[in-house]
Amino acid sequence: MPPRQRVPEGPAPDPAVQKLRIQYAKRGRLRFSSTRDFQRALERALRRASVPMAFSAGFHPHPRISYANAAPTGTASEAEYFEIQLREHRDPAVLHRDLDEALPDGLDVVVVREAATGALADLLEASDWVLDFADVDVATLAAATDRLLASDRIEVTRMMKRGPRTFDVREAVLHAQAGPADGPPYASRLGLRLRHLTPAVRPDDVLSALVEVADLRPARPPLVTRSRQGPLRPDGTVADPLAATTDEVRAPD
């Protein structure tokens, strides 16, 4: 029997000596960027900022980046997160400054911290959202919100990769409150706290639920912003998912 040929192995992964968790914001027109758009922009920015990334093994190594629960395309966010692994130690404050300068305006680094143990995704249990309406008055929005909260179950159907899926929206709604917006061009605001379930209930699903229970049909879609996401405290509020890491490190002036 001829000797078995040995299949060549790909390069070994780079050893990771430092892990950092990063909070960033998606603002302005960059709210229309997709998750893949952000991933490409981040990888370019990491190269421009000369960040010493650790890479995966194999014949096509990739930078060791973990993304967690990105906001849907078209929504703004002040609380997006990812984690990177480095092959050399870097000062988090300096990396914050350099990476923020390398990213496009509208993709803004908020916080850089040393990572603690455990998975970042496991800390993201709920999100706070703000929906600003231009053509819905406060009284109408408040009445629709009351009907939402009074319902035990509200089913909506969303088209997913494997086809349409029907699920309950009400189970995910931990808090909902209508009030005035900060000012023109918006008239009213809906604050939401949504538990992260499977499938994920998104703000547009809540808008579909408001059509079901109150026939609320704004002529213009609201401006949707995620203000916070993280673990749920015992009192039902959303905590900082990076609080288990080192003290906050902000970029130097």
Side-chain angles (χ1 to χ4, degrees), residues 8 36 46 91 110 120 156 190-191:
R36 185 60 190 141
L46 289 167
D91 182 339
V110 178
L120 175 59
V156 303
L190 176 61

Side-chain angles (χ1 to χ4, degrees), residues 11-77:
D14 289 330
V17 301
Q18 186 181 30
K19 183 185 293 186
L20 297 173
R21 289 177 178 170
I22 299 172
Q23 178 186 351
Y24 72 96
K26 189 170 67 164
R27 298 167 173 153
R29 295 183 61 84
L30 268 295
R31 70 183 184 274
F32 296 108
S33 59
S34 68
T35 300
R36 185 60 190 141
D37 291 334
F38 173 73
Q39 291 172 354
R40 287 193 292 262
L42 175 62
E43 291 185 17
R44 288 194 296 267
L46 289 167
R47 290 193 296 270
R48 285 196 293 267
S50 300
V51 177
M53 293 297 301
F55 280 77
S56 62
F59 291 101
H60 301 285
H62 298 283
R64 296 170 71 175
I65 307 172
S66 300
Y67 301 93
N69 197 41
T73 303
T75 61
S77 179

Side-chain angles (χ1 to χ4, degrees), residues 81 123-124 126 128 228-233 237-243:
Y81 296 93
L123 299 174
L124 305 180
D128 284 339
R228 179 183 290 267
Q229 67 169 322
L232 278 169
R233 297 188 180 100
T237 58
V238 179
D240 179 1
L242 305 187

Side-chain angles (χ1 to χ4, degrees), residues 123-138:
L123 299 174
L124 305 180
E125 298 176 328
S127 290
D128 284 339
W129 297 90
V130 174
L131 286 68
D132 286 317
F133 295 82
D135 57 354
V136 179
D137 61 76
V138 176

Side-chain angles (χ1 to χ4, degrees), residues 86-165:
L86 308 184
R87 65 178 186 274
E88 300 173 11
H89 278 279
R90 283 293 184 267
D91 182 339
V94 174
L95 187 143
H96 179 159
R97 180 195 61 204
D98 293 346
L99 186 58
D100 190 51
E101 291 176 352
L103 282 167
D105 290 341
L107 296 176
D108 304 314
V109 178
V110 178
V111 176
V112 178
R113 294 184 180 174
E114 295 273 1
T117 57
L120 175 59
D122 292 342
L123 299 174
L124 305 180
E125 298 176 328
S127 290
D128 284 339
W129 297 90
V130 174
L131 286 68
D132 286 317
F133 295 82
D135 57 354
V136 179
D137 61 76
V138 176
T140 299
L141 183 60
T145 303
D146 288 344
R147 291 190 179 186
L148 174 77
L149 295 175
S151 302
D152 294 327
R153 183 178 180 86
I154 310 170
E155 290 190 344
V156 303
T157 300
R158 190 205 312 156
M159 181 61 67
M160 300 187 179
K161 291 181 179 179
R162 298 186 178 180
R165 182 168 180 179

Side-chain angles (χ1 to χ4, degrees), residues 156-211:
V156 303
T157 300
R158 190 205 312 156
M159 181 61 67
M160 300 187 179
K161 291 181 179 179
R162 298 186 178 180
R165 182 168 180 179
T166 300
F167 52 93
D168 177 31
V169 167
R170 182 63 184 88
E171 181 184 4
V173 180
L174 301 174
H175 172 80
Q177 184 172 3
D182 286 344
Y186 301 106
S188 61
R189 169 174 289 183
L190 176 61
L192 289 174
R193 181 166 301 130
L194 300 179
R195 187 191 301 273
H196 297 170
L197 303 177
T198 303
V201 173
R202 309 184 311 196
D204 57 314
D205 298 319
V206 177
L207 292 173
S208 297
L210 290 172
V211 173

